[in-house]
Amino acid sequence: MKTSRSYILTASLLMAALWPSQACIDYEDPSHFNLFYCAPDMPDIDAKRLDESVQFWSKYLGVKADQDFANDVKNIYEYQLDEEEEGNLFITTLRKQGKTDALQLVKLNFELNQLTGSSDGWYYRKATPAEYNALLTKIDALRLTGDLSRRKTFLKMRCLFALKDYDACMRLWEMFASKWEDSPLKQRAYGYVAGIYFRKGQFEKAMQIYFEQGDEGSIRQCVNRILQNSTIEQEYEKDPNAPILAHFLEDYANYFYHSTFDDYWRSDEKDNPIWSAVNRQREQVLALAERAVKEGKSKDPQMWQAFIGFI
């Protein structure tokens, strides 16, 4: 268990060439500049997803998944997709083996990443619905079999999610991806189901999936949306050792800290009224922490004690 740390952690979201970011993370929540930690660390989910893709293409092409190959899979430039050059082992191997269908799939992945990442460039340009729909037409035109067909379905789910056509994305999950045998790709598709729940305000459903997948960043975003003293009390009553309690305590502690000591956060009250909301709950949450220590039902009383001490 970790208590407060002496430095501020700023969270970042890494984008890679062929793979989506976590399905719901925006880091709109200013309390992610955390001083207080008590939830256990989870695996680096972005690294897991990158590794899954590297392993898939290594097996598909019969190429050793060494660091050079992994780097080439992760780092693709647009010109490498259309020119006959030897700069990228992944792309040149696809060409040499005549994997034109797979190469087209990679190109459409690249095109989707250009659309979803268009707002991250130096010159802001928001992709239009027409561009996403044009890409969907290209995806539908692909004729793939076996494992490639599943990656086509996953690509289409990603595109529909970016287009905010959540119902169509969910139908793809229910009709196809949910029926796949358990695999890393199926879990990645399931992450988009959680993202749909999140965007529809069904945060508890979303969190259930994010806890299964160890998606810590998304869990934090869900917790931030349901941050109520009545909610944490209900969770404690249901299970004094529920993992979500640590995330509640982290959010409360950091909001309490910033709203009390930092003028910058207080000036944000107009746009984010959560500051006054959590401060109204301060005494109730502190009382719950003291009760949790006194009752002794928690297997980690130090977590509650650390929270009390921090406040």
Side-chain angles (χ1 to χ4, degrees):
M1 184 208 75
K2 294 171 291 182
T3 57
S4 58
R5 296 176 181 173
S6 60
Y7 59 89
I8 296 177
L9 174 67
T10 57
S12 63
L13 182 62
L14 301 178
M15 297 291 290
L18 291 181
W19 304 270
S21 63
Q22 298 174 57
C24 89
I25 299 307
D26 299 319
Y27 289 111
E28 301 165 349
D29 166 24
S31 76
H32 75 263
F33 294 94
N34 289 337
L35 296 173
F36 178 84
Y37 296 80
C38 59
D41 282 332
M42 293 185 178
D44 185 339
I45 194 165
D46 284 317
K48 286 174 62 179
R49 289 168 175 167
L50 285 170
D51 183 64
E52 185 276 331
S53 293
V54 170
Q55 294 300 321
F56 170 81
W57 290 113
S58 168
K59 182 178 179 181
Y60 178 78
L61 293 172
V63 176
K64 183 180 179 181
D66 58 18
Q67 191 60 53
D68 288 338
F69 180 76
N71 288 338
D72 283 346
V73 172
K74 296 174 187 178
N75 299 287
I76 298 174
Y77 297 95
E78 189 170 10
Y79 72 89
Q80 294 173 331
L81 294 170
D82 297 311
E83 294 184 7
E84 295 291 340
E85 54 89 352
E86 302 297 323
N88 187 300
L89 175 63
F90 174 43
I91 300 301
T92 55
T93 304
L94 284 172
R95 283 205 189 92
K96 288 177 180 177
Q97 295 187 8
K99 306 289 189 181
T100 56
D101 50 355
L103 183 59
Q104 184 62 22
L105 179 66
V106 172
K107 288 181 179 179
L108 295 184
N109 266 285
F110 189 91
E111 187 174 333
L112 177 58
N113 281 315
Q114 284 185 311
L115 294 179
T116 58
S118 61
S119 62
D120 297 328
W122 183 260
Y123 299 102
Y124 181 85
R125 186 193 72 80
K126 186 175 182 179
T128 65
E131 290 176 294
Y132 283 115
N133 281 312
L135 179 57
L136 282 171
T137 300
K138 296 179 185 177
I139 295 172
D140 285 333
L142 285 176
R143 295 293 178 260
L144 304 174
T145 59
D147 289 339
L148 287 182
S149 67
R150 296 183 179 185
R151 300 191 95 80
K152 169 188 170 180
T153 298
F154 179 60
L155 174 61
K156 188 171 181 178
M157 284 184 66
R158 289 183 54 205
C159 192
L160 288 167
F161 187 88
L163 189 57
K164 300 182 180 179
D165 191 346
Y166 302 133
D167 291 339
C169 186
M170 184 67 86
R171 283 195 297 272
L172 275 182
W173 165 258
E174 293 171 346
M175 293 173 62
F176 301 105
S178 66
K179 296 178 173 61
W180 299 341
E181 71 271 8
D182 191 35
S183 66
L185 185 65
K186 181 178 181 178
Q187 289 302 309
R188 290 169 67 182
Y190 198 31
Y192 279 90
V193 173
I196 292 169
Y197 286 141
F198 177 88
R199 282 166 171 75
K200 289 188 173 184
Q202 300 175 30
F203 302 119
E204 293 190 3
K205 284 186 176 182
M207 272 196 298
Q208 183 177 352
I209 299 173
Y210 290 136
F211 269 111
E212 288 178 24
Q213 298 192 334
D215 191 342
E216 184 174 5
S218 295
I219 292 169
R220 291 180 185 278
Q221 288 296 302
C222 291
V223 168
N224 183 251
R225 266 69 175 183
I226 59 174
L227 203 62
Q228 295 287 334
N229 64 290
S230 58
T231 307
I232 186 173
E233 289 171 3
Q234 290 167 7
E235 293 294 336
Y236 173 79
E237 295 295 343
K238 284 191 296 184
D239 180 5
N241 296 293
I244 192 176
L245 293 172
H247 294 276
F248 271 118
L249 293 182
E250 283 192 4
D251 252 22
Y252 271 118
N254 290 299
Y255 270 123
F256 289 156
Y257 176 85
H258 289 303
S259 64
T260 303
F261 297 109
D262 197 323
D263 288 335
Y264 175 81
W265 302 116
R266 286 204 296 272
S267 69
D268 197 38
E269 170 64 23
K270 182 177 69 173
D271 297 322
N272 293 285
I274 192 172
W275 297 107
S276 58
V278 296
N279 276 305
R280 286 195 299 269
Q281 302 168 27
R282 183 187 183 101
E283 295 306 316
Q284 294 96 318
V285 178
L286 188 57
L288 174 64
E290 292 170 343
R291 177 160 71 92
V293 173
K294 183 178 180 180
E295 291 178 346
K297 296 178 181 178
S298 172
K299 296 178 182 178
D300 189 8
Q302 294 90 348
M303 176 182 73
W304 297 94
Q305 291 167 336
F307 175 79
I308 294 168
F310 185 84
I311 300 304

